[in-house]
Amino acid sequence: MSRPAVIAHRGYAGVAPENTIAAVERAVAHDETAMLEIDVRPAADGTPVVVHDERLEGTREGRPLTDATGLVRETPLEAIREARVLGTEATIPTLSELLAAVPETVGVNVELKGCGRSDLRVGESLSSAERDRRREAWRPFVERVVADCAAFGGDLLFSSFCEGAIAALRELADYATAALLWDDLEAGLEIARRYDCEAIHPPRNAIVGTELAGTAYAGLSGEPSIDVLAEAHAEGRAVNVWTATNWLQFDALAAAGVDGIVADYPGLGDRSPSR
Ligand code: G3P
Ligand code: MG
């Protein structure tokens, strides 16, 4: 059985300050790292910055997300670039800065997280009129992201929970694209079919036949209504699952035959008994 590709979640958020250049430098030093996963959203002037949360304040495991406050989309770029992440010296990078730290041998999964507005219609398959409106809402930011990615020589894979982001990307560039699945698995598959996405990115509890199916995680709870792994594979799409936080989860997903695993830690595949 071939082993799944390891995708470092926010640059292995379990061992380094998420979405920072410090995390990237550590993550790419692991031979197993096929790709980095990063979250992008616009600063007030539209510049793509690498940060997961909509706001700069808040906590993660009791630590302040950053030492700044406010909505990222309303904060001047320079203030964002000075914001220290999770009580460390590491700061929030722009997308360009982060990509410059990635060797071409490692790919980057750019998750299009926000476009500068609050109502994002996460995980929804949209009506055709709404689809057009949402594509146009995302277009300016996706244009900036695509422009910043032009200098990167490694593989790029774009993903989003938002149909508008995928629609804009499909019009603007020829990059591999994945639909991120949230609570409505059928909606995610529908989006993947509509834009003929190269991949789907379901949550770990969406994989039928594993111990993880039926557990509560992210937007999904209860037994999965459909077998997204089988359906996507039958349609020729890769399946990259998020997020493995321990080797048991990694092993279950690998045994199910997924193509990639977004992992919080390096080394989760090392101890797998099925190896
Ligand atoms: O792209 C997979 C995963 O990163 C999605 O969830 O909230 O960690 O961005 P989140
Ligand atoms: Mg993400």
Side-chain angles (χ1 to χ4, degrees):
M1 185 178 65
S2 67
R3 299 293 297 170
V6 177
I7 305 169
H9 184 227
R10 310 181 198 172
Y12 296 127
V15 298
E18 62 187 47
N19 285 323
T20 64
I21 288 173
V24 163
E25 287 173 348
R26 286 179 63 167
V28 301
H30 294 278
D31 286 344
E32 71 186 295
T33 308
M35 284 200 136
L36 305 161
E37 187 267 355
I38 57 168
D39 305 292
V40 297
R41 54 177 70 251
D45 70 353
T47 302
V49 291
V50 186
V51 59
H52 177 270
D53 288 65
E54 184 178 37
R55 302 193 67 91
L56 294 161
E57 75 275 13
T59 57
R60 181 103 62 243
E61 304 288 337
R63 287 249 198 160
L65 288 177
T66 76
D67 58 359
T69 59
L71 284 163
V72 173
R73 63 177 177 271
E74 293 178 358
T75 304
L77 178 61
E78 281 319 304
I80 293 173
R81 290 182 68 242
E82 287 169 7
R84 293 176 198 284
V85 177
L86 294 168
T88 71
E89 291 300 302
T91 51
I92 296 176
T94 64
L95 175 59
S96 291
E97 289 166 343
L98 186 135
L99 289 175
V102 183
E104 293 183 4
T105 49
V106 176
V108 178
N109 170 200
V110 178
E111 185 191 337
L112 298 160
K113 202 68 163 173
C115 63
R117 56 190 288 170
S118 57
D119 56 328
L120 289 172
R121 309 284 296 263
V122 164
E124 281 185 55
S125 172
L126 305 171
S127 67
S128 79
E130 187 60 17
R131 216 175 288 158
D132 291 345
R133 280 195 290 272
R134 295 279 157 171
R135 184 190 62 236
E136 293 314 302
W138 275 87
R139 184 189 292 276
F141 178 60
V142 176
E143 276 174 353
R144 294 287 299 265
V145 170
V146 167
D148 287 357
C149 286
F152 181 64
D155 289 340
L156 285 160
L157 167 63
F158 288 79
S159 59
S160 189
F161 287 112
C162 302
E163 180 172 350
I166 293 171
L169 185 76
R170 278 304 201 216
E171 282 211 354
L172 290 165
D174 197 20
Y175 289 120
T177 303
L180 267 159
L181 278 52
W182 186 243
D183 58 339
D184 186 338
L185 302 179
E186 189 57 56
L189 283 185
E190 201 171 292
I191 292 168
R193 290 181 189 122
R194 188 171 292 141
Y195 301 94
D196 196 16
C197 292
E198 285 78 3
I200 63 163
H201 287 189
R204 64 182 187 236
N205 52 348
I207 304 304
V208 169
T210 69
E211 299 87 340
L212 303 166
T215 62
Y217 174 62
L220 199 61
S221 58
E223 285 300 322
S225 51
I226 44 175
D227 188 338
V228 293
L229 176 64
E231 295 216 19
H233 277 174
E235 294 167 9
R237 294 180 231 291
V239 177
N240 303 320
V241 181
W242 52 279
T243 297
T245 61
N246 61 47
W247 71 269
L248 291 159
Q249 293 171 358
F250 192 101
D251 191 53
L253 297 169
V258 308
D259 302 280
I261 299 179
V262 181
D264 261 343
Y265 301 86
L268 295 185
D270 294 351
R271 298 181 57 197
S272 166
S274 58
R275 274 194 110 179

